[in-house]
């Protein structure tokens, strides 16, 4: 099927009078004026198809390559009837706004691509994939059914703002690549690879409704600001590469960043930290910080953090792993990890707690630093068999207070 130059929707399925479903094969949907494919409270299966160049009706709205929502008669949505789009061996390309949007629905992608989502003329969005609950603009998420996002052997490439942004969502990424996420045109900020976030608006966040994510055998390349960011949410990262994270406006460039969510007023939810596990993974070629914790707990094992550089121009930081207690307490559990060639500190601890066992930290200006701050004392638990040195880590590690400037949350 070839559907082109339509009004608001290229093709949609909606449970208006009776249960409905749609199967689309070997088709091209292009030049729709608002939504390429729409599933409202009904399932849609799409294989070997292309959805491209979806444009907004005017400059004040976004366009969506894919949109999955509940059934919403008269504007009142039935959360018990989510929309589902299953996309297999297909491509979503060139939408202006959001490539694939899960608004309290479900999207599954297998061997598919979301690419080159563009920002509006006035600058916002351009996200490859965005998922959020119905409550993102209201006061309470607790009664809403969670949106779900699953990608298997897929690619999200050359988008803006975020490659994938998930708010209050269940996320599964398996064998997926998120690469070349550019800054948005509005203010040249963001450009993050993956954001795992609590639902927030300018007036506040519903931190009781975190994103819960598993990222396995995946790759995050050439993001801006943050490769994988976790705000008051939970992530399990296994067998994954986060590489070449660049700065935004001369700051950040962090490979993995875990922190408490902060709303538009600057208030941070210290009592809702992030919880992150990282295993058999590689974080490399980051700027400012390789792995950073600002309000949360990170357990990292059998992994490598290497080649962490300072921010260009200002030449700030350059720590392989940094754990900082500021608005919220932070902690780090590091086992069987190699930290190589950090410009400033291999591992830095600021008013936080860290436990280290069987790690190798080599070729940093300072291998291991710990400093108290206004929040409290730094604590370092040496659980044995930690080695430092350069060119080889063949000596015992000694933590020092190098009086370094602590980094800040993003």
């Amino acid at each position: 099927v070839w559907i082109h130059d339509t009004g608001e929707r290229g093709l949609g399925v909606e449970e208006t009078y009776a249960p409905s479903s749609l199967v689309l094969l070997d088709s091209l949907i292009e030049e729709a004026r608002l939504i390429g494919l729409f599933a409202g409270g009904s399932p849609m299966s799409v294989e070997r198809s292309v959805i491209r160049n979806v444009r907004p009706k005017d400059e004040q709205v976004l366009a969506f390559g894919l949109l999955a929502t509940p059934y919403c008669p008269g504007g009142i949505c039935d959360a018990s009837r989510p929309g589902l789009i299953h996309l297999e061996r297909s491509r979503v390309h060139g939408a202006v706004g959001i490539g694939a949007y899960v608004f309290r629905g479900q999207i599954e992608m297998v061997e598919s691509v979301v690419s080159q989502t563009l920002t509006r003329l006035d600058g916002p969005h351009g996200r490859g994939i965005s998922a959020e609950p119905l409550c993102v603009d209201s006061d309470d998420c607790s009664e809403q059914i969670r949106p779900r996002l699953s990608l298997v052997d897929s690619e999200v490439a050359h988008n803006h703002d975020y490659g994938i942004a998930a708010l209050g969502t269940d996320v599964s990424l398996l064998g997926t690549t998120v690469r070349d996420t550019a800054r948005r045109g509005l203010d040249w900020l963001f450009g993050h690879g993956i954001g795992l976030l609590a639902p927030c608006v300018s007036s506040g966040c519903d931190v009781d409704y975190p994103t819960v994510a598993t990222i396995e055998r995946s790759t995050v390349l050439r993001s801006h600001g943050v490769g994988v960011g976790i705000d008051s949410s939970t992530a399990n990262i296994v067998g994954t590469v986060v590489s070449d994270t660049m700065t935004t406006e001369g700051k950040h460039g962090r490979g993995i960043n875990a922190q408490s969510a902060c709303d538009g007023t600057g208030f941070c939810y210290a009592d809702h930290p992030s919880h992150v596990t990282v295993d058999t993974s590689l974080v490399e070629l980051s700027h400012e910080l390789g792995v950073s914790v600002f309000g949360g707990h990170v357990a990292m094992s059998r992994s490598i953090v290497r080649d962490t550089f300072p921010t260009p121009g200002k030449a700030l930081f350059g720590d392989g792993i940094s754990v900082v207690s500021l608005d919220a307490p932070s902690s780090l559990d590091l086992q069987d990890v190699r930290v190589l060639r950090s410009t400033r500190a291999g591992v830095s601890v600021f008013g936080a707690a860290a436990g280290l066992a069987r790690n190798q930290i080599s070729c940093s200006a300072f291998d291991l630093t710990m400093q108290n701050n206004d929040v409290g004392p730094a604590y370092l638990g040496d659980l044995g068999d930690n080695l430092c040195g350069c060119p080889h880590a063949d000596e015992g590690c000694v933590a020092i207070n190098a009086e370094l400037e602590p980094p800040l949350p993003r």
Side-chain angles (χ1 to χ4, degrees):
V1 175
W2 177 30
I3 300 175
H4 61 94
D5 298 289
T6 58
E8 289 195 355
R9 300 177 185 176
L11 185 63
V13 57
E14 189 168 9
E15 192 170 323
T16 304
Y17 301 108
S20 305
S21 63
L22 176 69
V23 176
L24 184 69
L25 304 175
D26 304 309
S27 296
L28 171 62
I29 312 293
E30 62 179 344
E31 301 293 344
R33 290 290 174 178
L34 190 61
I35 303 169
L37 294 179
F38 172 75
S42 297
M44 173 186 292
S45 178
V46 181
E47 294 188 32
R48 303 183 303 275
S49 296
V50 175
I51 302 92
R52 69 185 182 194
N53 301 336
V54 181
R55 299 289 185 261
K57 294 187 297 182
D58 57 60
E59 295 181 3
Q60 304 303 314
V61 298
L62 298 174
F64 309 101
L66 309 179
L67 175 58
T69 76
Y71 177 52
C72 298
I76 300 174
C77 295
D78 183 351
S80 67
R81 299 157 76 180
L84 167 64
I85 297 178
H86 176 88
L87 195 74
E88 190 163 345
R89 288 174 287 173
S90 297
R91 177 183 289 269
V92 181
H93 178 85
V96 178
I98 298 176
Y101 187 32
V102 187
F103 188 58
R104 230 293 311 134
Q106 302 177 32
I107 287 183
E108 303 169 352
M109 295 186 183
V110 180
E111 297 179 8
S112 294
V113 177
V114 179
S115 63
Q116 295 192 22
T117 309
L118 305 174
T119 61
R120 282 190 337 208
L121 292 178
D122 57 353
H125 291 288
R127 297 176 180 179
I129 301 173
S130 188
E132 61 188 30
L134 283 173
C135 61
V136 74
D137 291 321
S138 64
D139 295 328
D140 183 20
C141 291
S142 60
E143 298 303 321
Q144 305 294 339
I145 299 175
R146 294 172 62 83
R148 289 176 172 80
L149 177 65
S150 172
L151 278 74
V152 178
D153 298 330
S154 294
E155 182 174 82
V156 181
H158 294 289
N159 302 290
H160 295 78
D161 196 29
Y162 282 90
I164 298 173
L167 292 74
T169 301
D170 292 331
V171 178
S172 175
L173 307 180
L174 177 63
T176 290
T177 297
V178 180
R179 63 179 178 88
D180 299 298
T181 307
R183 296 170 292 178
R184 64 190 186 189
L186 177 66
D187 48 21
W188 293 101
L189 297 178
F190 295 96
H192 298 180
I194 299 173
L196 308 173
L197 315 170
C200 291
V201 292
S202 59
S203 58
C205 302
D206 195 326
V207 288
D208 292 322
Y209 201 79
T211 290
V212 178
T214 297
I215 303 174
E216 188 172 353
R217 292 194 296 103
S218 295
T219 304
V220 183
L221 298 174
R222 294 182 294 276
S223 308
H224 287 81
V226 177
V228 180
I230 307 99
D231 290 11
S232 291
S233 293
T234 298
N236 182 28
I237 302 171
V238 181
T240 290
V241 175
V242 181
S243 180
D244 200 8
T245 307
M246 296 170 280
T247 58
T248 297
E249 292 294 288
K251 61 181 180 180
H252 303 321
R254 301 169 180 179
I256 298 174
N257 184 84
Q259 66 178 62
S260 298
C262 301
D263 63 25
T265 69
F267 176 79
C268 296
Y269 293 80
D271 53 345
H272 287 79
S274 289
H275 298 275
V276 182
T277 59
V278 182
D279 184 54
T280 56
S281 294
L282 169 65
V283 181
E284 64 175 357
L285 301 173
S286 306
H287 291 81
E288 193 182 66
L289 305 168
V291 176
S292 48
V293 192
F294 302 89
H297 175 72
V298 170
M300 190 171 193
S301 59
R302 300 183 298 174
S303 297
I304 296 174
V305 181
R306 67 188 181 195
D307 300 312
T308 305
F309 305 108
T311 55
K314 298 179 181 179
L316 295 176
F317 309 111
D319 298 356
I321 301 173
S322 187
V323 52
V324 185
S325 290
L326 288 174
D327 297 300
S330 299
S331 60
L332 172 71
D333 181 9
L334 204 65
Q335 299 187 30
D336 301 299
V337 172
R338 296 178 65 194
V339 184
L340 299 85
R341 298 183 295 277
S342 305
T343 301
R344 193 176 76 162
V347 177
S348 58
V349 181
F350 298 91
L356 281 68
R358 303 179 304 279
N359 301 293
Q360 296 182 23
I361 306 170
S362 62
C363 297
S364 306
F366 305 97
D367 291 320
L368 186 58
T369 71
M370 55 183 296
Q371 297 172 211
N372 301 335
N373 62 13
D374 292 339
V375 175
Y379 171 79
L380 180 63
D382 186 345
L383 306 179
D385 299 323
N386 295 295
L387 297 174
C388 293
C390 191
H392 305 291
D394 52 10
E395 302 176 355
C397 296
V398 178
I400 65 170
N401 181 353
E403 298 184 352
L404 301 179
E405 179 184 352
L408 296 174
R410 63 170 180 80

